[in-house]
Amino acid sequence: MTLDEKAFRRKLNGLLRTIPGGGGRSVIPPRALKGKLYEIWVAIEIMDQLHKLEGYVPTMRRGTRLVLRNKGGGISMAYTSFKLTHPTETDLELWTDIEFVAMSHTQLGYNYPPAPAFYHELDLVIVEAGTTGRPRHDEIVLAVECKNTSTFEKRMAREALGLRRELSLLVAASTRFQQWPYHDVHAEPASALLVYADDPAVTNFNGPGLLYGIHFAHLAAP
């Protein structure tokens, strides 16, 4: 039996408070629905994996609005984010609901600001610390889509394949990470792309995902 929104929010707040800087007022947007709560659930899972397997230490950085971003746009210090510190690598940042500038804008050689058609929103994104505004496709270290659904549909896998193409080309490369989520990827720039879903059937798409550097992962909502 899954938790209702009130209990889910309470559980997330408890987990967020265990992250350095996470004490005090809740950073979950007051009107966040269960889909948004699931994004935060996935963000906590990702930070936990990067901490245990890659050595990154998360800390919460509260923005002036004191909440995580709940609507797509650029990176802004007005919103709360998570800094990921590593003993030998440069720092990273995890943000929620960020639009990036697609590779097609660069490949077409446009030197003027991109039109909205060239923006694509990601549920979660990891970039180098200090990145601002809408990051370019080659500034994405790790991109994540979250599907809080009991039925993961094939169209959702197609969406992920489209995102992969707007992030990178099909060539051999290596990501920033050594073990998790993966080191070798057929993508340049070498970003990692993860799709999390509440439905176990999401893992059925790891065949094509393996070729294009997309990891389809099941993470049940509590």
Side-chain angles (χ1 to χ4, degrees):
M1 181 177 179
T2 58
L3 301 178
D4 60 26
E5 287 185 10
K6 184 176 181 180
F8 196 177
R9 181 185 293 267
R10 187 163 56 246
K11 183 176 182 66
L12 288 173
N13 278 324
L15 292 170
L16 290 170
R17 290 190 181 102
T18 67
I19 298 172
R25 178 178 169 181
S26 173
V27 297
I28 301 175
R31 297 182 181 179
L33 301 177
K34 203 162 187 180
K36 179 63 180 182
L37 299 180
Y38 184 72
E39 288 179 19
I40 300 170
W41 178 245
V42 172
I44 293 170
E45 167 70 9
I46 287 172
M47 287 187 285
D48 183 57
Q49 293 296 324
L50 288 177
H51 177 59
K52 290 190 299 186
L53 301 177
E54 293 289 324
Y56 286 91
V57 178
T59 56
M60 184 186 293
R61 297 195 314 181
R62 292 176 178 267
T64 55
R65 297 187 182 183
L66 300 176
V67 293
L68 296 164
R69 184 157 205 148
N70 195 30
K71 186 177 180 181
I75 292 172
S76 167
M77 297 304 293
Y79 295 94
T80 294
S81 63
F82 300 92
K83 187 174 182 179
L84 303 169
T85 304
H86 193 276
T88 59
E89 301 283 354
T90 55
D91 294 343
L92 301 174
E93 292 172 349
L94 186 153
W95 293 85
T96 60
D97 295 300
I98 296 298
E99 295 172 338
F100 74 96
V101 180
M103 186 179 66
S104 54
H105 184 265
T106 302
Q107 291 292 315
L108 288 168
Y110 295 149
N111 57 8
Y112 50 81
F118 292 105
Y119 299 151
H120 299 294
E121 183 179 345
L122 294 166
D123 294 330
L124 304 172
V125 65
I126 292 180
V127 294
E128 293 282 351
T131 303
T132 59
R134 292 180 173 88
R136 301 186 312 271
H137 75 284
D138 56 355
E139 293 179 305
I140 304 295
V141 174
L142 190 152
V144 185
E145 286 292 283
C146 305
K147 304 296 183 184
N148 180 218
T149 174
S150 59
T151 305
F152 187 84
E153 301 175 9
K154 193 170 186 177
R155 64 176 177 81
M156 298 175 182
R158 288 198 300 267
E159 291 171 5
L161 291 167
L163 271 176
R164 175 83 279 174
R165 191 55 186 269
E166 283 288 46
L167 284 166
S168 52
L169 294 168
L170 182 64
V171 296
S174 299
T175 70
R176 169 75 170 262
F177 311 108
Q178 298 303 310
Q179 301 179 67
W180 191 91
Y182 44 77
H183 179 63
D184 297 318
V185 63
H186 296 157
E188 179 59 43
S191 58
L193 175 57
L194 310 181
V195 179
Y196 278 89
D198 196 20
D199 180 9
V202 65
T203 60
N204 294 339
F205 296 93
N206 272 320
L210 180 65
L211 173 63
Y212 293 105
I214 308 171
H215 181 54
F216 293 90
H218 171 232
L219 182 66

